[in-house]
Amino acid sequence: MRSKKVFITGNEAIGEGAVRAGCFFYAGYPITPQNELTAFMAKRMAEEKRIFIQAESEISAINMVFGASASGVRAMTSSSSPGISLKQEGISYLAGCELPAVIVNVQRGGPGLGNIGPSQSDYFQATKGGGHGDYHLIVLAPGSVQECFDFMFLAFNLADKYRNPVMVLLDAFLGQMAEAIEIPKSKIQISNYKKDWALTGAKGRAPNVIRSLFLGEGVLEKHNLKLQKKYKKIRDNEQLFEIENRNNSEIVFVAYGISYRIAKEASLLLQEKGLKVALFRPITLWPFPYQALKSLAKDKRAVFVFELSYGQMVEDVRLALGESLPVYFYGRAGGEVFTEKELLNFVEKENA
Amino acid sequence: MLEFKKPQTLKDKPFHYCPGCGHGIVHRIIAEVVEELGIRERTVAVAPVGCAVVAYDYWDFDVTESAHGRALAVATGIKRCRPQLAVFTYQGDGDLASIGMAETLHCANRGENLTCIFINNACYGMTGGQMAPTTLIGQKTATTPQGRAPQKGEGYPLKVPELLANLKGVVYAERTSVDSPANIIKTKQAIKKAFLNQIEEKGFSLVEVLSQCPTVWGLSPVQAVRWVREVMVKEFPLGKIK
Ligand SMILES: Cc1ncc(C[n+]2csc(CCOP(=O)(O)OP(=O)(O)O)c2C)c(N)n1
Ligand code: SF4
């Protein structure tokens, strides 16, 4: 496909990707570091004659998305950490009602108001629930501005395919940095999922009902088991990851998003010193690619996990590997970003 | 010849509400209006969290549930994406005027072309009879055992249509009741107008209906009707506010 090269930020790339993936409805509320995305959508959605609403709060925004999705269109919202906390009840309703939607979290430092620096401290919230009840989001973690663009297609398709909310999880760094990316010149053809469950008016069919309330003995359990079956299908079919330097390496670095870029720089420094490092990047944080990591690490000496948090994804790494080999963790949070030199020093110290 | 028959827009299912509850009456009024306007095939209802959460068991058109208080945000999402639909919310006083007040105010202020049916029963029915923003001064509830007392910081009965009438986005706000056949007819006329406003793309319309909750009030159905007529309307005067 013919494409053009543009130099844009991650936030803008997400917006452009969403528009081209057929997002018809966007609602959001201002919060740094994702304001460029909301402003971008205000402009682009109007150009495309689609719907943009600046909601009165993140709570309202996610519930507008609920309504838009219930009406059968592709709908999304975006925010940053505190705003994403406010959306959690709505996200749980989306999951319970099996409504597709895309939620973008450009993470910032927490807890509380925290700061506006980059962070990966919302991993637990994104992958382990966040809202109430037994549900899962599909969580995609782009690692470049190009992927910010590309993953919006994936996000909307997965949401429609499984009738499930999808979260795109990045950080202030990735959201606000600009890179040159390829954007296809032609309008992209989006795949059409049949939404015969949508609320379009009961014409020539029985009324449709969107609900998450199931009263009566065993009725909710049955619904929950149906959801669990769906989550298993997603686990079996949708794990995404990237591996570099699989062969002839002694140790493994595991990181995602912006941390992966820094970890990769550190691995190059180590390589110069003669230590060969394999790199593992989960792209779907849920479902987490346990098996792929396990098979990569099988003949290695140690695993190093780097996150902009005090250790969240590392729990999934330990779940994947058990006691089979040492797992070392290095992280910084509170809006601070480690350097490749810092990682190098840590590895040399632990690996001595 | 007068014929009393069930509207096609109501399913063949008895209401689960308590004897003498106003919800069933208003459900039926809405069903009749939707049928008479011939809009069943393009009507979408947004149900609240409250006693009426299971409205989809009764209405024979598309219905969605919504999180507690967020019905008007959900309705905004539906209506903006499919403006040809007739979208309405059906909300209790806890749902609309307490937890959902921000959504209510801002939806009205945006002038969303929606119809909002607001059921004021002066209490939280579903959770067992706690104070609502509309609870009368002196009224005893589970959380105001001594009676609602503004001097104790429990606030005053909130008058939603009066509050919203100040907003430019609101084209119509009226308060009615369902305590007598005459008032039921008036309620039906008001609800019909609120739907017609939407069909004519005029903007946001709200009808507040004073509705009996004999169970929480601790009254018989007959006494409850009398309480609306003799006590409640003094705090919440009936009629068109805007
Ligand atoms: C977020 C949230 N908070 C609280 C509740 C519990 N709850 C259910 S219904 C309700 C109040 C209902 O009262 P009202 O809106 O007046 O409707 P009614 O039952 O009187 O018709 C509450 C507080 C809930 N379901 N969700
Ligand atoms: S508790 Fe009150 S509002 Fe709820 S069904 Fe019973 S009478 Fe109706």
Side-chain angles (χ1 to χ4, degrees), chain A residues 152-198:
Chain A
M152 294 312 287
F153 297 84
L154 184 61
F156 278 105
N157 284 337
L158 287 170
D160 280 350
K161 182 172 173 189
Y162 291 102
R163 289 186 61 182
N164 205 70
V166 173
M167 179 169 281
V168 177
L169 190 71
L170 60 155
D171 59 86
F173 210 128
L174 207 45
Q176 294 182 316
M177 78 184 192
E179 288 182 315
I181 69 164
E182 302 264 341
I183 289 189
K185 260 200 180 132
S186 57
K187 269 223 149 54
I188 285 179
Q189 206 58 37
I190 56 153
S191 44
N192 274 322
Y193 289 86
K194 202 163 140 245
K195 298 188 173 178
D196 51 9
W197 45 265

Side-chain angles (χ1 to χ4, degrees), chain B residues 53-71:
Chain B
V53 57
V54 290
Y56 44 68
D57 279 347
Y58 310 118
W59 288 322
D60 197 30
F61 37 75
D62 283 3
V63 186
T64 182
E65 141 194 315
S66 59
H68 192 26
R70 319 301 171 202

Side-chain angles (χ1 to χ4, degrees), chain A residues 115-289:
Chain A
N115 64 18
I116 58 170
S119 166
Q120 295 180 321
S121 298
D122 302 349
Y123 180 94
F124 284 153
Q125 187 196 50
T127 62
K128 310 288 175 191
H132 57 287
D134 281 296
Y135 75 90
H136 281 289
L137 300 178
I138 299 170
V139 184
L140 303 176
S144 63
V145 175
Q146 181 72 55
E147 282 188 353
C148 286
F149 176 81
D150 294 341
F151 283 9
M152 294 312 287
F153 297 84
L154 184 61
F156 278 105
N157 284 337
L158 287 170
D160 280 350
K161 182 172 173 189
Y162 291 102
R163 289 186 61 182
N164 205 70
V166 173
M167 179 169 281
V168 177
L169 190 71
L170 60 155
D171 59 86
F173 210 128
L174 207 45
Q176 294 182 316
M177 78 184 192
E179 288 182 315
I181 69 164
E182 302 264 341
I183 289 189
K185 260 200 180 132
S186 57
K187 269 223 149 54
I188 285 179
Q189 206 58 37
I190 56 153
S191 44
N192 274 322
Y193 289 86
K194 202 163 140 245
K195 298 188 173 178
D196 51 9
W197 45 265
L199 306 183
T200 53
K203 189 171 184 175
R205 59 159 170 80
N208 281 339
V209 172
I210 305 280
R211 63 194 285 191
S212 65
L213 177 82
F214 295 94
L215 301 172
E217 212 181 304
V219 189
L220 179 59
E221 184 180 40
K222 207 169 131 203
H223 175 66
N224 269 312
L225 290 173
K226 184 183 143 208
L227 293 181
Q228 290 302 318
K229 222 164 123 183
K230 172 167 87 176
Y231 301 145
K232 180 175 183 313
K233 207 162 138 196
I234 298 171
R235 271 194 202 100
D236 290 346
N237 295 296
E238 307 297 348
Q239 294 179 19
L240 292 172
F241 53 87
E242 184 188 348
I243 293 175
E244 294 183 75
N245 309 332
R246 177 189 276 279
N247 298 321
N248 307 320
S249 40
E250 285 177 56
I251 60 172
V252 183
F253 283 1
V254 185
Y256 70 96
I258 197 68
S259 298
Y260 183 81
R261 307 264 293 248
I262 303 165
K264 189 169 171 175
E265 290 300 315
S267 80
L268 295 177
L269 295 177
L270 283 162
Q271 201 133 314
E272 283 170 18
K273 297 185 168 198
L275 181 65
K276 286 195 123 183
V277 181
L279 295 159
F280 185 84
R281 175 169 75 105
I283 290 172
T284 49
L285 301 182
W286 197 91
F288 189 87

